Amino acid sequence: MTTTDIATTDPAALPAIPTPASTGMFSAGDFPTPQITLVQGQSEFLTQREYGARNGDVIWHTDKTDLHWLIGGDDKAEEFVGFVVHWEKTAARFFGDGQMEFEPSRQRNMADPDSWDVFFYHIAIPAIDDMLAAKAMFTRSNLPAARNINLLFARAARETGGDTTNLPPVPVKFRTVEGVGKKGHQFFKYSATTTKDYTEDEFETAKLIQGTAKSLAAAQRYENTAPQVDDSEKPSI
């Protein structure tokens, strides 16, 4: 059986852009970081009633503003299509109160049952933003969906003759599935499958967004900053 290694590369950093600041260029932190959040648990979207969110909703947002419901909401949407344009893998240790801290080595500690792989997927949805992708964190209960996304990347690599450095955006259809935890609590997790439910224009725009996402990720690594995640949103259980 043949296996395909998925390689992540460090594309060129963001070009120098004249600014009024003395630095002479933008850094990764100078751009907004949209996120995609699966609402559940102690999410601020639930504890603050003004958001009007429900368990299992999926929301695109930037700093809890400019909200776009992808699943749920007034339209009661059940799925959405996004283009995964970049991904990063790290690891984190989770605590009983839902808190987490990233592993310094960025590798899962196999001897620690509270240490888990963490995938950050940069997802482009051109109808919402034609410039930036949103980050979504997949860990613990969402690892099966993450593996499906990784498989789609592996298939894309096979179709390009094994070239894993310049893969096109990978279209994915996302849904949520309800589950029950070991202690009887309700939770939601993603399902992720391949799809052809998109237009050529959307795909071409996703390719442009992909270039920006890779450059921002490279700049972030250069600046030695940890993967950004809204720490007020508890990870999936």
Side-chain angles (χ1 to χ4, degrees):
M1 175 178 178
T2 355
T3 59
T4 305
D5 292 327
I6 302 296
T8 55
T9 59
D10 292 341
L14 287 171
I17 305 173
T19 71
S22 58
T23 57
M25 67 177 290
F26 289 126
S27 66
D30 293 332
F31 291 84
T33 306
Q35 290 180 227
I36 293 176
T37 295
L38 172 52
V39 177
Q40 58 187 325
Q42 296 301 310
S43 167
E44 187 177 334
F45 287 120
L46 289 177
T47 58
Q48 303 294 324
R49 292 185 178 179
E50 65 267 23
Y51 291 117
R54 298 180 179 180
N55 264 316
D57 285 359
V58 178
I59 301 175
W60 170 302
H61 61 99
T62 304
D63 298 329
K64 300 295 191 309
T65 62
D66 193 21
L67 310 184
H68 299 270
W69 261 256
L70 303 176
I71 290 179
D74 293 339
D75 295 335
K76 296 181 171 55
E78 296 181 352
E79 60 187 31
F80 69 95
V81 172
F83 298 89
V84 181
V85 296
H86 185 61
W87 64 275
E88 300 162 284
K89 181 181 180 182
T90 184
R93 188 171 189 277
F94 293 84
F95 303 93
D97 58 359
Q99 298 300 312
M100 60 176 282
E101 64 180 13
F102 290 105
E103 297 280 12
S105 66
R106 301 178 69 87
Q107 299 291 323
R108 180 182 177 187
N109 179 358
M110 302 301 290
D112 184 352
D114 294 321
S115 181
W116 292 80
D117 288 328
V118 178
F119 289 91
F120 284 96
Y121 295 104
H122 300 239
I123 301 173
I125 303 181
I128 294 178
D129 195 316
D130 63 1
M131 179 72 177
L132 296 173
K135 275 189 177 183
M137 184 175 71
F138 283 56
T139 187
R140 301 208 285 184
S141 65
N142 280 315
L143 286 177
R147 295 184 186 110
N148 283 346
I149 296 171
N150 297 342
L151 179 59
L152 296 180
F153 269 105
R155 287 176 176 165
R158 184 176 63 183
E159 291 170 5
T160 58
D163 179 8
T164 61
T165 58
N166 293 296
L167 292 177
V170 173
V172 179
K173 179 168 287 187
F174 294 93
R175 296 185 176 91
T176 55
V177 180
E178 188 175 350
V180 178
K182 292 181 180 178
K183 297 181 179 179
H185 65 275
Q186 176 196 45
F187 70 95
F188 290 85
K189 59 184 178 180
Y190 285 110
S191 73
T193 56
T194 186
T195 182
K196 293 184 178 179
D197 189 13
Y198 58 89
T199 67
E200 189 61 31
D201 284 347
E202 288 173 327
F203 184 76
E204 291 301 317
T205 303
K207 288 198 289 188
L208 298 176
I209 297 172
Q210 183 175 48
T212 304
K214 287 185 174 182
S215 292
L216 286 173
Q220 189 181 65
R221 287 194 296 273
Y222 177 78
E223 293 160 15
N224 197 29
T225 57
Q228 296 180 26
V229 60
D230 185 342
D231 59 12
S232 70
E233 294 304 321
K234 308 303 181 189
S236 298
I237 295 172

